[in-house]
Amino acid sequence: MKKIVVFASGSGSNFQAIVEQLHPKRCEVALLVCDKDGAYCLERAKHFEIPTFLFNPKDYLSKTEFEEVICEKLSQIEPDLIVLAGYMRIIGKTLLDAYEGKIVNIHPALLPAFPGRDGITDALNYGVKVMGVTVHYVDAGIDTGKIIDQLSFKRSDEETKEEIINRIHALEHELYPKVIARLLKV
Ligand code: GAR
């Protein structure tokens, strides 16, 4: 059985979509790694009985130090893929060196446009009419890794920001589990 580990910092709706669509029939979601105490993704993990590793970056002297601890956890699992789902931290050299080519991320914009923390707001402020989501490999940059897949839609001027955010999340929940299954060949 192929294994994945999901990293999240917030609500975890993508984490839930991945669990619901893949776990445990097609692959095992072996662990949720979270850097934010109280994040709702932890509740979702509890509900689905997925083990969690919660850490506070402030407890460590550097990114290298906490990534070494994460690597130690991961070495007990030997995941086939590391799936970033709203993990709002740049992956450092320690994790990248250990899992090169095996870390993927989802971003709520059509990369290479609108990378960074708030791609949806940036795209709306720019006034784009076609919006979408991107799944890509993770490299040392911010949302710069090789694109794996994208989905897009044309927005109407009547749609509110909230409606657009919901549409983007729905696309993410459709795309991400499919891409993960394809990469794992399950
Ligand atoms: C998702 O929309 C994801 O694309 C975005 O965070 C959200 C997490 O939602 N990620 C980024 O912006 C990364 N640059 P979720 O916690 O409900 O899955």
Side-chain angles (χ1 to χ4, degrees), residues 48-78:
F48 289 104
E49 298 180 347
I50 307 281
T52 56
F53 173 59
L54 170 66
F55 71 99
N56 181 352
K58 293 198 179 106
D59 292 342
Y60 300 87
L61 288 174
S62 63
K63 183 179 296 231
T64 304
E65 219 177 74
F66 68 69
E67 285 197 347
E68 276 169 5
V69 176
I70 295 172
C71 278
E72 169 59 30
K73 297 269 168 208
L74 295 181
S75 70
Q76 294 161 21
I77 295 170
E78 297 186 353

Side-chain angles (χ1 to χ4, degrees), residues 6-18 40-41 44 84-89 105-109 111 114-120 132-134 136 142-143 165 168-169 172-173 176:
V6 179
F7 285 40
S9 306
S11 161
S13 69
N14 279 284
F15 164 71
Q16 178 163 341
I18 292 162
Y40 191 60
C41 58
R44 297 190 203 251
L84 309 186
Y87 180 67
M88 292 306 190
R89 242 163 237 290
N105 181 43
I106 190 151
H107 184 73
L111 293 173
F114 312 113
R117 289 194 84 82
D118 199 351
I120 301 178
V133 303
T134 303
H136 64 94
I142 298 174
D143 302 322
I165 289 172
I168 286 181
H169 279 147
E172 291 186 329
H173 302 162
Y176 214 5

